Amino acid sequence: MATTQTPPNHYDIVIVGAGPVGLMLSTCLARWGYKIKHVDDRAEPTPTGRADGIQPRSLDLLRNMGLKSAIMAHKPARVYEVAFWDPPQSGKGIARTGTWASCPSFIDARYPFTTLLHQGLIERVFISDLERNGTHIQRPWTIKGFTSNEKENADYPVEVQLEHVDGTASETIRAKYLFGGEGAKSFIRDQLQIGIKHKDPIAHVWGVMDGVVKTDFPDIKMKCTIHSAHGSIMVIPREDNMVRLYIQIASSTDPDWDPRKSATECEVQESAKKILQPYRIEWERVEWYSVYPIGQGISDKYTLDHRVFLGGDACHTHSPKAGQGMNTAFLDALNLAWKLHAVESGFAKRDLLYTYEPERKNVAETLLSFDNKYAKLFSQRPPAASEVEAASERSTKAEPWEENEFVKTFKESCEFTSGYGVAYKPNNINWSPEHPAKSPHLGPDGCKLTTGRIFANADVTRVIDANVVHLEQEVPLNGSFRIFVFAGKLEKTRQSLGDLATHLASKKSFYSQFLRRDLEDVTHHEQHNPHSLLFTLCTVFAAPRNSIEITRDVPDLLARYRSHVYADDRRDRRVPEALAAAHAKMGLDEEKGGVVVVRPDGYVSCVASLVEGSGTVDALNEYFGAFCTKKLGETMAQL
Amino acid sequence: MATTQTPPNHYDIVIVGAGPVGLMLSTCLARWGYKIKHVDDRAEPTPTGRADGIQPRSLDLLRNMGLKSAIMAHKPARVYEVAFWDPPQSGKGIARTGTWASCPSFIDARYPFTTLLHQGLIERVFISDLERNGTHIQRPWTIKGFTSNEKENADYPVEVQLEHVDGTASETIRAKYLFGGEGAKSFIRDQLQIGIKHKDPIAHVWGVMDGVVKTDFPDIKMKCTIHSAHGSIMVIPREDNMVRLYIQIASSTDPDWDPRKSATECEVQESAKKILQPYRIEWERVEWYSVYPIGQGISDKYTLDHRVFLGGDACHTHSPKAGQGMNTAFLDALNLAWKLHAVESGFAKRDLLYTYEPERKNVAETLLSFDNKYAKLFSQRPPAASEVEAASERSTKAEPWEENEFVKTFKESCEFTSGYGVAYKPNNINWSPEHPAKSPHLGPDGCKLTTGRIFANADVTRVIDANVVHLEQEVPLNGSFRIFVFAGKLEKTRQSLGDLATHLASKKSFYSQFLRRDLEDVTHHEQHNPHSLLFTLCTVFAAPRNSIEITRDVPDLLARYRSHVYADDRRDRRVPEALAAAHAKMGLDEEKGGVVVVRPDGYVSCVASLVEGSGTVDALNEYFGAFCTKKLGETMAQL
């Protein structure tokens, strides 16, 4: 909610750092109407180098924000496969030992590739969006100090001192929250005296070079991992004919390990030339070159008081090999953003914020441990061709491989690096049998969705305009829970669908308890939030589009979301036999339907059966009642 | 070629009018380095209204130009289906009688929908591109007179007088060509005393209204044709919640026909309200309202001397119903653009330009006659459900319907309105057995491509970076002929592929006769035109990507186009059994391969067998020899 009547030096949030994590948080909150003070100590966005890999899941997210086309307009490189090069069994030099899909087909991704683009260009796409929403980044400004005390000031407990980097100006402001997205050397983390744990004790010094080369190395446009007698290189293609090379300069496993070891641009190029033999490589231009030591680390805490939060590199540093930095940062910010919104809009209890750290810290830990496990497994022996095939393809003969450690680890690793492996554990938002909501209608049998994991992809036909759309993208990133009513076959579910609408409309439902304050003034063109800023409702029928008549078949409350009524009438190659492929992918019976609640960040939070009577809404009241601020429903009173 | 050393008042071309046809021509020629004087008598691009339908084929073209994403960024409406509403068999008002795909699945379209966007926004996308290429439109300026006389000045035969619309400034310039894209009331056409023929003697007065409405009419987001006892309306959805309504105000078939009959905005709204009963409609905002008489007409000539050309609405006017104006204009301009380029770059004989008028006039005539035929057929009786199904779907049971006039006409009509029906007749560029090139290797048996029609769509995997790409989009609109070498199975075609390269490289080949003048200075990053500005070569193997090694498998000349080497290893639902789907769609034998020559505008111009020895290049030398300026090959000498 916009807090327009606050004093000028009072903000909803102060965000320090305008890298990926700060920009994602700021962009979300600015769209949802929050008053933001966003500072960055650099005069300009990242000019060269830095993180540049956008994973498949992140591209989904950017599309959901309407930012994907602006990113793609820069013509980024797309990595579909990774090539492995090793010393040949006989002879000198290097030889390709195999290529693997970077996002294999067993992952149901809309964009099965990694997108490579200069971080500064990505940042500028966010900055433009921020500016359209009235938030400007104050540069070059930095944080000098802060305090947080809810007892002193319950509404604006955080006081922050900001200063121009040249010391010529300063200001002290108050905020509800402070967010540290300042990178690995976080001032805020240091002030909070939060330590960093290193998952893997091995540290490395990396040289990284972006440039334009002339080479006869055939895979220069592919992502490559190259091991040779002269050392190792990673090749990553970039936009504008550029290529990034990562060269390991030193490792803490070296006998003469020196974390301050360095190498000149020229030395690294000479080293690369040796490693790539028998191929030639010459540099036409070097855009950026840097040497930095890096270890995998995770900060002990992401917050101490749920007012001052950390995210992105301030919380976790990765090996650049995994290409995870920006993607993990985006998801940290998104996770926090919707929770702040849910709390500040009066919907969720404050302890919803307590889920930020465990959810995101667990993801960072899992990511790092898989990265290590995978690297170790890979270093033991090169995989056999049959293992590669089993790991890359969605095979019906998968069973015999399930026990194979390599195949298993590779698959899990792919899921994680593509971004689809994120699995938030059960808690008050991610329903499980241990959740306070005990309705028998929650977690219906046969459902293939897993709470805490991303909502499945599905093509459907929008009824009002016959457009073929991606169901999972239909609700924009508006901070609302997405409630997908899979209504199955109309003739079977007419009663239960009507009952669902009736009970949603009843005064004590989760839906009716959080209506918009400006309900009377909402334009009839509003598509996503006509009644509530916290929920968007979608209805999907297992029927051909032309058989659905919204005014006849859809109860009024659901029909108000007229651009969110869909026909599940598109074929899907993953369920080729299914006539209603979306229902089939979700594992929801066409005869019965079901209701899927998806968190504002796109993760499934709970699934309920669609039943006649009040059961479905009762179940959802129980579910939302576990973390919302109001007492819901009648059944709650009886419990 | 850029003519940089010409006097300041000398231009390659003067283009009058900056609507779709003028902008497409200007954009192509500016990209290819021509010096352009482009004037328009309006101070600004189209502010409201006008044409706004981009057909599927036009979207392919815009994508090929790199302009699609800028168009789609405006979030245009997409029309997938057309709904028909008629008076119900019993009772009052209107009822939906059916909905039909606007681009049915029997058409192999990448984008099976019509894109609706305000013409001014589309124009601005072109104008931005023009400005990036150094061409600025001079506004508001108009043409006052011109002469064209090759005898007087062979290089710059056209003299043009231009004037600021307020008469305060004027200039006289010389040019090689003059293009009239001024719309239906063309000054240039009038000066040339070229008449207009009306295909259909029936004229209409249309009212057209763009606005934002509030209605319970369920298909307001669909394209609808509505007939009622109170009159007829056509509904077309637009961006930004707008809708366009076309209302027929008068027809020359009316007993009291008056071509000057008009109607106020209010009258049209009242009329619409009656027609839409029992549904309600209210206007929240009217963006644009206009009444204009229109008849279908085609100008007798598109040029008199092949120096002064006409295109777009200056040559043909359509009923707005067909939504063809902008699309036909684009293709007029594209057709002329590459031919001008081929002549001015010294590649083609001047008489290549003689093909502009017959190719484009025939398309306009065919379009109009189908439009009439379809309208008549439809007005006789509503089609039966079974006919609709047969017409809309790609059915294996198509045979029994082939004789059905309605199904046949509907299918043909869909092909035309989607833009895929364009079929240029045989001539010197579109090979047929009557072509001067008589090589037995031309027009191989089994080939499914038709010369003069658009090149087929196919997904392939690019070898160097494993990107899955759309083959037909891989060569940008660079003014070059696209030569697709379908190399089949490597082990079968190694000799013939090598021979092809050898003979392409021989001094007298079409390829070697038109090398770049700056051949030595071309950067190794050049992807599309490393050797010649007139040809881009692509090589497609019927093999999995990871089995292809460019340096080993591709002859040097073809390997120089290293980003244009592809693996035909993707499945296609249209040829589900084929392992090499692209070869299968083209109808080229995997054991033998074949060479497909595609015109710079995307239409197939000739297909040759891939054979050992000089046969394939001999055949192509014969083909290109029919219209190029140099004597080609050895076989030509023997003829």
Side-chain angles (χ1 to χ4, degrees):
Chain A
M1 312 290 110
T3 49
T4 46
Q5 292 164 358
T6 54
N9 67 339
H10 283 53
Y11 293 86
D12 289 315
I13 189 164
V14 178
I15 297 173
V16 183
V21 72
L23 287 170
M24 175 61 82
L25 183 62
S26 196
T27 300
C28 290
L29 294 176
R31 287 174 173 208
W32 305 336
Y34 291 91
K35 187 179 171 191
I36 300 163
K37 172 72 97 176
H38 197 162
V39 300
D40 191 277
D41 60 7
R42 301 169 299 168
E44 295 288 335
T46 305
T48 50
R50 299 266 205 136
D52 56 4
I54 301 173
Q55 302 294 0
R57 156 64 187 144
S58 298
L59 206 56
D60 290 338
L61 171 59
L62 291 168
R63 180 171 163 209
N64 199 224
M65 300 176 75
L67 302 179
K68 174 173 161 274
S69 58
I71 300 276
M72 299 317 260
H74 291 291
K75 303 194 190 304
R78 300 175 186 204
V79 168
Y80 278 77
E81 290 191 14
V82 184
F84 294 88
W85 289 75
D86 289 290
Q89 293 195 320
S90 64
K92 287 182 180 179
I94 51 171
R96 194 193 295 114
T97 51
T99 63
W100 299 24
S102 59
C103 183
S105 63
F106 72 83
I107 298 171
D108 188 6
R110 293 283 185 190
Y111 310 107
F113 52 83
T114 305
T115 303
L116 279 312
L117 186 69
H118 169 21
Q119 184 176 330
L121 294 174
I122 299 168
E123 289 175 3
R124 282 183 169 84
V125 168
F126 279 90
I127 291 166
S128 299
D129 192 79
L130 270 178
E131 288 178 351
R132 276 193 294 276
N133 289 293
T135 296
H136 299 268
I137 296 164
Q138 193 168 325
R139 298 175 184 269
W141 277 63
T142 189
I143 183 168
K144 297 304 284 183
F146 64 92
T147 57
S148 172
N149 191 332
E150 282 190 349
K151 284 174 194 152
E152 207 172 80
N153 186 331
D155 290 336
Y156 292 89
V158 188
E159 188 181 86
V160 187
Q161 289 87 45
L162 299 172
E163 198 177 271
H164 191 284
V165 291
D166 68 8
T168 52
S170 69
E171 54 180 316
T172 297
I173 58 180
R174 296 205 73 89
K176 294 175 179 167
Y177 301 96
L178 169 63
F179 181 79
E182 319 136 277
K185 295 173 186 170
S186 167
F187 168 84
I188 297 173
R189 190 191 61 219
D190 286 350
Q191 291 296 108
L192 296 173
Q193 297 183 296
I194 294 174
I196 297 220
K197 271 215 189 62
H198 295 279
K199 198 85 189 171
D200 180 353
I202 300 170
H204 300 281
V205 177
W206 287 90
V208 53
M209 186 180 292
D210 283 348
V212 177
V213 301
K214 182 166 187 175
T215 181
D216 58 354
F217 177 65
D219 287 357
I220 198 71
K221 296 277 185 191
M222 306 265 283
K223 181 170 172 180
C224 303
T225 300
I226 304 170
H227 299 293
S228 86
H230 303 284
S232 296
I233 273 189
M234 196 164 72
V235 173
I236 296 180
R238 295 277 308 266
E239 74 279 7
D240 289 338
N241 288 318
M242 280 195 292
V243 64
R244 168 169 292 189
L245 297 184
Y246 283 107
I247 299 187
Q248 196 174 301
I249 291 172
S251 162
S252 58
T253 59
D254 296 343
D256 59 344
W257 162 242
D258 172 5
R260 278 155 306 180
K261 186 173 175 187
S262 190
T264 65
E265 191 176 306
C266 218
E267 285 166 351
V268 162
Q269 290 181 350
E270 284 311 310
S271 178
K273 284 178 186 179
K274 277 189 196 150
I275 294 168
L276 280 174
Q277 282 168 2
Y279 301 102
R280 290 171 292 103
I281 185 165
E282 295 292 338
W283 273 261
E284 294 182 354
R285 180 167 74 80
V286 171
E287 185 181 91
W288 181 61
Y289 173 64
S290 179
V291 171
Y292 54 91
I294 200 154
Q296 295 184 334
I298 297 185
S299 71
D300 295 329
K301 302 291 295 172
Y302 282 34
T303 180
L304 297 180
D305 64 350
H306 306 286
R307 288 291 187 174
V308 181
F309 290 94
L310 302 170
D313 284 0
C315 293
H316 39 76
T317 53
H318 313 251
S319 151
K321 285 189 302 179
Q324 289 302 314
M326 180 159 51
N327 301 281
T328 311
F330 282 158
L331 295 184
D332 283 352
L334 177 62
N335 192 294
L336 183 59
W338 78 261
K339 291 171 182 175
L340 289 175
H341 177 55
V343 168
E344 290 304 315
S345 61
F347 171 63
K349 291 177 200 152
R350 186 154 287 279
D351 57 11
L352 178 68
L353 297 175
Y354 300 178
T355 64
Y356 167 65
E357 178 182 291
E359 287 200 335
R360 294 306 304 166
K361 192 161 182 252
N362 180 254
V363 167
E365 281 170 348
T366 317
L367 251 172
L368 293 193
S369 80
F370 269 101
D371 202 31
N372 291 334
K373 194 171 157 190
Y374 177 66
K376 264 176 214 148
L377 195 74
F378 208 87
S379 64
Q380 284 161 16
R381 63 168 174 94
S386 58
E387 286 173 321
V388 173
E389 198 179 328
S392 300
E393 295 307 315
R394 184 192 174 80
S395 168
T396 46
K397 303 172 227 158
E399 291 79 20
W401 293 107
E402 271 173 16
E403 299 303 305
N404 181 301
E405 187 64 14
F406 181 83
V407 173
K408 194 162 156 261
T409 306
F410 177 80
K411 285 195 163 196
E412 283 168 338
S413 169
C414 283
E415 275 212 300
F416 271 92
T417 53
S418 65
Y420 294 106
V422 170
Y424 294 132
K425 290 183 178 171
N427 58 20
N428 266 7
I429 21 177
N430 310 319
W431 187 88
S432 75
E434 284 67 49
H435 191 274
K438 301 294 186 194
S439 163
H441 302 303
L442 293 171
D445 289 344
C447 180
K448 292 183 191 163
L449 298 169
T450 309
T451 59
R453 298 203 69 150
I454 199 85
F455 183 55
N457 292 341
D459 285 3
V460 292
T461 308
R462 195 157 55 204
V463 170
I464 49 161
D465 60 7
N467 278 213
V468 178
V469 298
H470 294 175
L471 182 61
E472 76 282 3
Q473 286 284 350
E474 278 289 285
V475 182
L477 195 73
N478 59 354
S480 300
F481 278 84
R482 300 152 185 205
I483 299 182
F484 292 93
V485 180
F486 286 86
K489 289 182 183 164
L490 194 62
E491 62 275 19
K492 304 279 181 179
T493 60
R494 196 175 288 276
Q495 182 66 42
S496 49
L497 192 62
D499 289 349
L500 175 75
T502 303
H503 293 284
L504 283 175
S506 84
K507 206 181 159 199
K508 286 280 191 179
S509 82
F510 68 94
Y511 189 76
S512 300
Q513 280 288 300
F514 297 98
L515 297 180
R516 292 176 70 138
R517 286 177 210 161
D518 58 348
L519 194 60
E520 299 302 315
D521 304 323
V522 176
T523 160
H524 72 101
H525 296 296
E526 173 58 43
Q527 293 177 44
H528 311 299
N529 297 99
H531 301 148
S532 167
L533 294 174
L534 298 155
F535 305 102
T536 299
L537 269 54
C538 301
T539 309
V540 187
F541 290 99
R545 192 203 74 82
N546 64 11
S547 71
I548 301 164
E549 199 72 65
I550 293 179
T551 46
R552 181 193 66 199
D553 301 329
V554 187
D556 283 354
L557 185 142
L558 294 162
R560 173 60 188 86
Y561 296 83
R562 62 188 175 278
S563 64
H564 286 304
V565 180
Y566 307 94
D568 184 5
D569 60 0
R570 307 292 303 178
R571 294 294 181 128
D572 189 304
R573 67 192 169 89
R574 290 179 187 275
V575 284
E577 305 302 318
L579 286 176
H583 282 70
K585 287 179 95 171
M586 310 293 160
L588 293 171
D589 190 334
E590 288 174 43
E591 308 281 315
K592 295 175 182 166
V595 178
V596 179
V597 179
V598 176
R599 302 162 24 147
D601 55 358
Y603 295 85
V604 176
S605 53
C606 100
V607 183
S609 308
L610 181 62
V611 296
E612 295 183 11
S614 68
T616 304
V617 173
D618 289 345
L620 296 176
N621 284 340
E622 281 188 53
Y623 163 72
F624 284 111
F627 58 92
C628 86
T629 54
K630 295 187 187 173
K631 201 173 154 187
L632 302 176
E634 301 307 315
T635 56
M636 291 298 286
Q638 293 160 13
L639 282 178
Chain B
M1 312 288 108
T3 48
T4 47
Q5 292 165 358
T6 54
N9 67 338
H10 283 54
Y11 293 85
D12 289 314
I13 189 165
V14 177
I15 299 173
V16 183
V21 73
L23 288 169
M24 174 62 81
L25 183 61
S26 196
T27 300
C28 289
L29 294 177
R31 288 173 172 209
W32 305 336
Y34 291 90
K35 187 179 171 191
I36 301 163
K37 172 70 95 175
H38 197 162
V39 300
D40 191 277
D41 61 6
R42 301 168 299 167
E44 296 287 336
T46 305
T48 49
R50 298 267 205 133
D52 57 3
I54 301 173
Q55 302 294 1
R57 155 64 188 145
S58 298
L59 206 55
D60 290 337
L61 171 59
L62 292 168
R63 179 168 164 213
N64 198 225
M65 301 176 76
L67 302 179
K68 175 173 160 273
S69 58
I71 300 276
M72 299 316 262
H74 290 292
K75 301 191 191 307
R78 299 175 186 203
V79 168
Y80 278 77
E81 289 191 15
V82 185
F84 295 86
W85 290 75
D86 289 290
Q89 294 195 320
S90 63
K92 287 181 180 178
I94 52 172
R96 194 193 296 112
T97 50
T99 65
W100 299 25
S102 59
C103 181
S105 62
F106 71 82
I107 298 172
D108 187 7
R110 293 284 183 189
Y111 310 107
F113 51 83
T114 305
T115 303
L116 280 311
L117 186 69
H118 169 22
Q119 184 177 330
L121 295 173
I122 299 168
E123 289 175 4
R124 282 181 169 84
V125 169
F126 279 89
I127 292 166
S128 299
D129 192 80
L130 270 179
E131 288 176 351
R132 277 193 294 276
N133 289 294
T135 297
H136 298 269
I137 296 164
Q138 193 167 326
R139 298 173 183 273
W141 277 63
T142 189
I143 184 168
K144 297 304 284 184
F146 63 93
T147 57
S148 172
N149 191 333
E150 282 190 349
K151 284 175 196 157
E152 208 170 80
N153 186 330
D155 290 336
Y156 292 88
V158 189
E159 187 181 86
V160 187
Q161 288 87 45
L162 299 172
E163 196 177 272
H164 191 285
V165 291
D166 67 8
T168 52
S170 69
E171 53 181 318
T172 296
I173 59 181
R174 295 205 74 88
K176 293 176 179 167
Y177 301 96
L178 169 63
F179 181 79
E182 319 137 279
K185 295 175 186 168
S186 167
F187 168 82
I188 297 173
R189 190 192 62 220
D190 286 350
Q191 291 296 107
L192 295 174
Q193 297 183 294
I194 295 173
I196 295 215
K197 271 216 187 62
H198 294 279
K199 197 87 188 168
D200 181 353
I202 300 170
H204 301 280
V205 177
W206 287 90
V208 52
M209 187 180 291
D210 283 348
V212 177
V213 301
K214 183 167 186 175
T215 181
D216 57 356
F217 177 65
D219 287 355
I220 197 71
K221 296 278 185 192
M222 307 266 283
K223 180 170 172 180
C224 303
T225 299
I226 304 171
H227 298 291
S228 86
H230 302 285
S232 295
I233 273 189
M234 195 165 71
V235 174
I236 297 180
R238 295 278 307 266
E239 74 280 8
D240 289 338
N241 287 319
M242 279 193 293
V243 65
R244 168 169 291 187
L245 298 185
Y246 283 107
I247 299 185
Q248 196 175 302
I249 291 172
S251 163
S252 57
T253 58
D254 295 344
D256 59 344
W257 162 243
D258 173 6
R260 280 156 302 182
K261 186 173 176 185
S262 191
T264 65
E265 189 176 309
C266 219
E267 285 166 351
V268 162
Q269 290 180 350
E270 285 310 311
S271 178
K273 285 179 186 178
K274 276 188 197 151
I275 294 168
L276 280 173
Q277 281 169 5
Y279 300 102
R280 289 172 292 102
I281 186 165
E282 295 291 338
W283 273 261
E284 294 182 355
R285 181 166 73 80
V286 171
E287 186 182 90
W288 181 60
Y289 173 65
S290 178
V291 171
Y292 54 91
I294 200 152
Q296 295 185 334
I298 296 185
S299 70
D300 295 329
K301 302 292 294 172
Y302 282 33
T303 181
L304 297 180
D305 64 350
H306 306 285
R307 289 290 185 173
V308 180
F309 290 93
L310 302 170
D313 285 0
C315 293
H316 38 77
T317 54
H318 312 251
S319 149
K321 285 190 302 178
Q324 288 303 314
M326 180 158 51
N327 301 280
T328 309
F330 282 159
L331 295 185
D332 284 350
L334 177 62
N335 192 294
L336 183 59
W338 78 261
K339 291 172 183 175
L340 289 175
H341 177 53
V343 168
E344 289 304 315
S345 60
F347 171 62
K349 291 179 202 151
R350 184 154 288 280
D351 58 10
L352 178 67
L353 296 175
Y354 300 179
T355 64
Y356 168 64
E357 179 182 292
E359 287 200 334
R360 294 306 303 164
K361 192 160 183 255
N362 182 253
V363 167
E365 281 170 351
T366 317
L367 251 172
L368 293 194
S369 81
F370 268 103
D371 202 32
N372 291 335
K373 193 171 159 190
Y374 177 64
K376 264 175 214 148
L377 195 74
F378 208 87
S379 64
Q380 284 161 16
R381 63 169 174 95
S386 57
E387 287 172 320
V388 173
E389 199 178 327
S392 300
E393 296 306 316
R394 184 191 175 83
S395 169
T396 46
K397 303 173 228 157
E399 293 77 21
W401 292 108
E402 272 174 13
E403 298 303 305
N404 181 301
E405 187 63 16
F406 182 83
V407 172
K408 196 163 155 259
T409 306
F410 177 80
K411 285 195 164 195
E412 284 168 335
S413 169
C414 284
E415 275 212 301
F416 271 92
T417 54
S418 65
Y420 294 106
V422 171
Y424 294 132
K425 290 184 178 170
N427 58 19
N428 266 6
I429 21 177
N430 309 321
W431 188 87
S432 75
E434 283 68 49
H435 192 275
K438 300 295 185 192
S439 163
H441 302 303
L442 293 172
D445 289 343
C447 180
K448 293 184 191 161
L449 298 170
T450 308
T451 59
R453 298 203 69 150
I454 199 84
F455 183 55
N457 292 341
D459 284 3
V460 292
T461 308
R462 196 158 51 205
V463 170
I464 50 161
D465 60 6
N467 278 215
V468 178
V469 297
H470 294 175
L471 182 61
E472 76 282 4
Q473 285 285 348
E474 279 288 284
V475 182
L477 195 73
N478 58 355
S480 301
F481 278 85
R482 301 152 185 204
I483 300 183
F484 292 93
V485 181
F486 286 87
K489 289 182 183 165
L490 194 61
E491 62 277 17
K492 303 279 181 182
T493 60
R494 196 175 289 276
Q495 181 66 42
S496 50
L497 192 63
D499 290 347
L500 175 74
T502 302
H503 292 283
L504 282 175
S506 82
K507 208 182 156 199
K508 286 280 190 179
S509 82
F510 69 94
Y511 189 75
S512 299
Q513 281 288 301
F514 296 98
L515 296 179
R516 292 176 70 140
R517 284 177 211 163
D518 58 348
L519 193 61
E520 299 302 316
D521 304 322
V522 176
T523 161
H524 73 100
H525 296 296
E526 173 58 43
Q527 293 176 44
H528 311 298
N529 297 99
H531 301 149
S532 167
L533 294 173
L534 298 156
F535 305 103
T536 300
L537 268 54
C538 301
T539 309
V540 187
F541 290 99
R545 190 202 76 82
N546 63 11
S547 71
I548 301 164
E549 199 71 67
I550 292 178
T551 46
R552 182 193 65 200
D553 300 330
V554 187
D556 284 354
L557 185 144
L558 294 163
R560 175 60 189 86
Y561 296 82
R562 60 189 177 278
S563 64
H564 286 304
V565 179
Y566 308 93
D568 184 6
D569 61 359
R570 308 291 304 177
R571 296 293 181 128
D572 189 305
R573 66 191 171 89
R574 290 179 188 274
V575 283
E577 305 303 319
L579 286 176
H583 282 72
K585 288 178 94 171
M586 310 295 158
L588 293 171
D589 190 333
E590 287 175 41
E591 308 281 316
K592 296 178 184 166
V595 177
V596 179
V597 179
V598 176
R599 301 163 25 148
D601 54 358
Y603 294 85
V604 176
S605 53
C606 98
V607 183
S609 308
L610 181 62
V611 296
E612 295 184 12
S614 68
T616 304
V617 174
D618 289 344
L620 296 176
N621 284 340
E622 282 189 53
Y623 163 72
F624 283 111
F627 58 92
C628 85
T629 53
K630 295 187 188 173
K631 200 174 154 186
L632 302 175
E634 301 308 316
T635 56
M636 291 297 285
Q638 290 158 15
L639 281 178

